[in-house]
Amino acid sequence: MALPPGSFGLPLIGDTINFLQDAQFAKKRHQQYGPIFKSSIFGQPTVFMSGQEANLFVLSNDNQYFVATWPASTRALLGPLSLSLQTGANHQNRRKLLYQAFGPRALVGYVGAMENITQRYLDKWAKMETMTWYPELRNYTFDVAAKLLVGIDNGSETALGHNFETWCYGLFSIALDLPWTRFGKAKKGRKLLLAELENIIRDRQQGTPSGNDALSLLISARDDEGNSLSLDELKDQVLLLLFAGHDTLTSAIATFCLLLAQNPDVMAKVRAEQQQFPATEPLTLEQLKQMTYLEQVMREVLRLVPPVAVIFRTAINACEFGGYEIPKGWSVLSGITQTHQDSQLYPEPDRFDPERFSSERSAKPFSYVPFGGGLRECLGKEFARLEMKLFAAKIVRELEWELLPDQDLNLIAVPTPRPRDGLRVKFRRTTMK
């Protein structure tokens, strides 16, 4: 059986640089070769696939044909014990244990602190009037993650926050371990992060777990055999949770802010829905569930600009898709962005149209996958949805914002989509009561 069409690019580095720098890399090649093509990135022969059937094939064959994989830089920086690098029964066991920090009971306990941090930032932004928003949104999501996952206040202003930024910057890079490379700096950042996390964990283990953050829940958690997480595993898992609760969420929230500024009709409808809820009372999970139009907006934000663009896998057995062979050992990337741009699934796919989610049409399985799917669907999915929705509800009640002129709003794709010039905006308080 033939290999997919395509080119391996340059010797050794293949198409890695193009992949990292060109947000349209996969789209251009899909237009050239069709729904499946071969390339070489991060030193590995790689099959790129796109579409609902590709996602269905990849996500429903975990552990049979595929296992989760990441580029070498990501694997090294996440750490060997990270849930994202576990496979098979071990992955399922650890996932079940970590889920305790993201179940319904845990989420209810997070709402109050999440709202308090959001309010603090809204008050600060109202006073600033104009600013570059994306770095502020990164600080906001890290403060929420640090408080709810690790129990630290103002996390973005701590050593943990500064080292985390350095570490994040190298996650998807060429794994060249030299002091001046992005990867080399990130590796040093990881060491410093682990030292910080070890101090936090030891303090918590010696004290009385508060139960109000994920770390306390994980320290107390036991698997089916009654075993707790080791110190080293706690460090790797908490680092993963901080990343999952920060980078992708910042991207999603920034995209929401950008798209609402560009679509005042949608902004008006979101505001009109918020008029139904008492602005002076704390938000509750029950209220958030009743915001049906805001839910449609969030779904459309994640369709149009999914924070994670592709699903990474490695073929553990040779298999066939679309009439082509996928050899054992090759990397496989199934495109989330490309699927969400499929005009057969989403008419006028480039248009921001929350109404497309106004009815629960019987969507094809794996046609909407902003959080992945199958056995490895994003563990923090409901945490992310809660934070996005709470942030959105509060900001449209309290602030109006407009985009400043003369800025580049094109998105940098890696590691997560963000406006090239950082999203420069002007704020004013709303007249909404």
Side-chain angles (χ1 to χ4, degrees):
M1 192 173 291
L3 293 172
S7 159
F8 288 126
L10 297 169
L12 297 177
I13 63 171
D15 268 327
T16 306
I17 293 172
N18 284 334
F19 174 73
L20 290 172
Q21 292 183 346
D22 184 359
Q24 302 297 313
F25 172 83
K27 184 176 182 178
K28 288 174 184 173
R29 280 156 182 76
H30 280 305
Q31 286 170 346
Q32 183 178 358
Y33 298 116
I36 179 168
F37 69 88
K38 70 174 180 284
S39 181
S40 174
I41 59 166
F42 300 113
Q44 279 287 107
T46 302
V47 172
F48 282 76
M49 305 158 70
S50 80
Q52 176 265 338
E53 289 183 3
N55 291 336
L56 177 63
F57 180 66
V58 170
L59 292 171
S60 58
N61 282 297
D62 266 318
N63 303 326
Q64 183 176 352
Y65 293 133
F66 307 110
V67 290
T69 191
W70 296 93
S73 60
T74 319
R75 291 198 303 272
L77 293 171
L78 286 175
L81 300 174
S82 174
L83 178 73
S84 58
L85 303 185
Q86 306 300 316
T87 58
N90 192 40
H91 169 262
Q92 289 303 298
N93 176 293
R94 282 305 182 244
R95 182 183 171 89
K96 190 173 167 185
L97 196 147
L98 290 173
Y99 179 72
Q100 294 177 45
F102 295 107
R105 187 183 301 175
L107 292 180
V108 170
Y110 295 157
V111 174
M114 203 179 271
E115 184 169 15
N116 289 341
I117 295 169
T118 308
Q119 189 64 57
R120 178 162 58 82
Y121 270 88
L122 296 184
D123 292 341
K124 174 186 174 186
W125 296 340
K127 290 173 187 165
M128 291 172 75
E129 292 189 1
T130 63
M131 67 175 183
T132 302
W133 206 354
Y134 189 80
E136 276 289 308
L137 290 171
R138 282 186 74 80
N139 289 341
Y140 162 72
T141 57
F142 192 78
D143 279 3
V144 172
K147 179 65 176 175
L148 299 181
L149 302 179
V150 194
I152 293 176
D153 291 315
N154 304 315
S156 62
E157 298 169 21
T158 65
L160 186 76
H162 300 314
N163 291 326
F164 184 84
E165 283 295 312
T166 306
W167 174 80
C168 271
Y169 191 57
L171 270 174
F172 295 91
S173 61
I174 296 169
L176 190 59
D177 191 4
L178 295 168
W180 44 267
T181 63
R182 278 168 57 176
F183 178 72
K185 291 174 184 175
K187 211 168 169 191
K188 182 182 177 185
R190 173 177 159 82
K191 281 184 185 173
L192 296 169
L193 276 173
L194 293 182
E196 289 275 335
L197 289 173
E198 182 163 335
N199 290 336
I200 293 165
I201 292 165
R202 287 190 186 282
D203 285 349
R204 194 69 57 80
Q205 285 172 329
Q206 288 162 10
T208 306
S210 66
N212 292 331
D213 57 64
L215 178 58
S216 297
L217 294 169
L218 294 180
I219 287 171
S220 307
R222 299 292 180 269
D223 64 18
D224 292 341
E225 281 76 50
N227 299 315
S228 59
L229 293 168
S230 69
L231 175 63
D232 283 342
E233 188 171 0
L234 274 169
K235 289 190 289 187
D236 272 4
Q237 303 300 17
V238 169
L239 193 51
L240 173 68
L241 296 184
L242 285 172
F243 172 65
H246 176 255
D247 252 49
T248 50
L249 251 171
T250 306
S251 176
I253 289 172
T255 302
F256 165 83
C257 296
L258 171 61
L259 289 171
L260 254 66
Q262 292 174 325
N263 294 272
D265 55 327
V266 175
M267 175 88 83
K269 287 182 184 175
V270 172
R271 283 219 163 88
E273 182 178 63
Q274 290 305 311
Q275 299 276 14
Q276 303 168 28
F277 302 95
T280 53
E281 294 178 13
L283 281 165
T284 64
L285 275 180
E286 197 50 49
Q287 282 182 345
L288 290 168
K289 284 177 190 170
Q290 293 168 24
M291 298 172 188
T292 51
Y293 184 70
L294 184 57
E295 178 67 26
Q296 290 166 221
V297 171
M298 292 303 173
R299 286 174 67 83
E300 178 68 343
V301 165
L302 294 172
R303 181 200 67 82
L304 197 58
V305 188
V308 178
V310 294
I311 299 155
F312 277 94
R313 294 289 187 269
T314 292
I316 51 173
N317 290 301
C319 54
E320 174 269 327
F321 181 78
Y324 296 105
E325 179 189 2
I326 300 174
K328 179 180 177 179
W330 279 34
S331 294
V332 176
L333 269 65
S334 190
I336 295 173
T337 303
Q338 298 303 314
T339 303
H340 289 183
Q341 290 288 311
D342 184 343
S343 59
Q344 299 296 311
L345 297 168
Y346 302 103
E348 296 182 81
D350 292 331
R351 190 161 69 91
F352 181 60
D353 178 21
E355 302 291 341
R356 71 175 83 238
F357 290 106
S358 60
S359 63
E360 284 301 319
R361 296 190 298 266
S362 54
K364 292 181 177 180
F366 302 109
S367 61
Y368 180 76
V369 285
F371 297 101
L375 295 172
R376 304 187 73 96
E377 184 176 49
C378 173
L379 187 67
K381 171 183 171 180
E382 294 307 322
F383 178 92
R385 284 162 46 83
L386 169 63
E387 185 172 338
M388 274 185 77
K389 210 166 180 183
L390 185 144
F391 173 88
K394 284 194 70 68
I395 195 165
V396 298
R397 291 177 181 191
E398 299 199 21
L399 294 177
E400 294 177 10
W401 63 96
E402 61 183 82
L403 302 171
L404 292 173
D406 304 321
Q407 61 175 311
D408 188 348
L409 294 170
N410 289 311
L411 299 179
I412 298 171
V414 179
T416 52
R418 64 198 187 279
R420 189 171 293 278
D421 281 352
L423 195 61
R424 296 185 1 248
V425 292
K426 180 179 181 180
F427 286 115
R428 61 179 172 274
R429 286 276 188 194
T430 68
T431 53
M432 188 175 159
K433 296 295 180 192

